[in-house]
Amino acid sequence: MSTPLDQLQQRLGYTFRDANLLRLAITHPSFIQDHSRVTENNQRLEFLGDAVLQLVLTENLFQLYPHEREGDLSRRRSALAKGSFLAQLGLDLGLDACLRLGVSEQSTGGENRASNLEDACEALFGALYLDSDWPTARRVMLNVFGDLKVRLEAVGDLHNPKGRLQELVQPNHGNSAVRYEVIRTEGGDHERRYFVEAYFLDQPVGQGSGSSKKLAEEAAARVALETLKSRPQ
């Protein structure tokens, strides 16, 4: 009968050569408090895994979005590497059933705590890198993430509505098809509100407001996205 660790490796599509690395990746710091013979936890692997994950995502987003600027690429990467997303990824992999926790941490539901799942997910990626090599780690991690564009939609890439709007219109209309214009402001210096109109080919397609010009533009872009998606480009 397969164990949770067996099932984890099946979901990963990778079998560890060094089982100790895998066990270390799922060892929460609290586990050491109750097991004097265990001297290491997953924090160092978490540190390494975070760096490996950043590089994997950076390289692939760079290739997927050849016309995007640094800021837009950074926002996409942040959406895929943020704690809540990695915690859900950890649940999808079954890490909650594998975590080695101290008695106190386990008694308070530590196996489902987002921070524990996030840390273990990053540690798992670090362990994977050490146990294999860069091409293998990259392949396995990308298989876990699946289609990055689909993942970005799922995690709410509305964090970057202007980038999504640009991505929608750029293939057929170029980089200058969308522009934003502040149509009015309200309030004093400390309570100012901006109202922005988004234009596509000089036609208004969405209006939004916010406490800064940037937030107002993002709000307008969200409306414009819905407007343009409902009609042919």
Side-chain angles (χ1 to χ4, degrees):
M1 185 174 180
S2 64
T3 68
L5 283 182
D6 293 331
Q7 294 167 14
L8 170 62
Q9 292 175 96
Q10 289 171 7
R11 294 188 184 101
L12 272 179
Y14 178 83
T15 300
F16 275 77
R17 294 177 295 178
D18 184 350
N20 289 326
L21 269 175
L22 178 57
R23 280 193 292 270
L24 184 58
I26 58 172
T27 301
H28 187 268
S30 65
F31 189 80
I32 297 176
Q33 299 170 8
D34 300 327
H35 301 80
S36 58
R37 293 184 180 181
V38 179
T39 59
E40 292 184 279
N41 59 52
N42 63 7
Q43 290 181 321
R44 281 172 52 83
L45 281 178
E46 174 200 344
F47 169 77
L48 175 62
D50 175 63
V52 173
L53 174 62
Q54 293 293 321
L55 182 54
V56 168
L57 293 177
T58 299
E59 178 188 40
N60 283 271
L61 291 172
F62 183 83
Q63 294 171 349
L64 279 174
Y65 302 98
H67 303 293
E68 281 201 352
R69 297 181 178 179
E70 177 188 359
D72 293 331
L73 291 171
S74 294
R75 280 187 284 274
R76 290 187 186 278
R77 183 180 62 193
S78 294
L80 292 170
K82 67 182 180 180
S84 58
F85 178 76
L86 292 181
Q88 183 58 55
L89 203 63
L91 285 174
D92 294 342
L93 287 169
L95 277 173
D96 53 321
C98 300
L99 287 178
R100 301 169 82 194
L101 303 169
V103 174
S104 177
E105 183 68 18
Q106 192 165 28
S107 68
T108 57
E111 69 276 9
N112 292 311
R113 188 161 291 124
S115 59
N116 293 343
L117 289 164
E118 174 195 354
D119 293 348
C121 192
E122 290 178 335
L124 181 64
F125 292 152
L128 171 65
Y129 173 72
L130 291 178
D131 194 68
S132 58
D133 52 34
W134 170 248
T136 302
R138 179 183 180 277
R139 173 182 57 79
V140 173
M141 290 170 66
L142 287 175
N143 284 342
V144 169
F145 272 81
D147 188 314
L148 293 188
K149 288 188 175 182
V150 173
R151 282 290 192 180
L152 284 167
E153 289 290 339
V155 299
D157 197 26
L158 290 176
H159 291 298
N160 181 24
K162 293 176 65 176
R164 292 183 65 210
L165 180 58
Q166 191 68 23
E167 179 183 313
L168 178 67
V169 304
Q170 190 273 336
N172 293 325
H173 303 284
N175 293 322
S176 303
V178 175
R179 64 181 176 87
Y180 301 88
E181 182 178 317
V182 177
I183 54 178
R184 74 176 190 277
T185 60
E186 295 179 358
D189 290 340
H190 300 294
E191 298 179 351
R192 182 151 300 173
R193 192 157 194 85
Y194 294 80
F195 293 81
V196 166
E197 186 83 59
Y199 291 85
F200 169 60
L201 299 177
D202 291 326
Q203 297 296 314
V205 288
Q207 187 179 125
S209 66
S211 57
S212 69
K213 181 180 176 183
K214 177 178 180 292
L215 291 175
E217 288 181 349
E218 290 178 347
R222 289 188 183 96
V223 177
L225 273 169
E226 296 305 315
T227 301
L228 295 181
K229 283 181 177 179
S230 66
R231 68 193 199 197
Q233 299 303 305

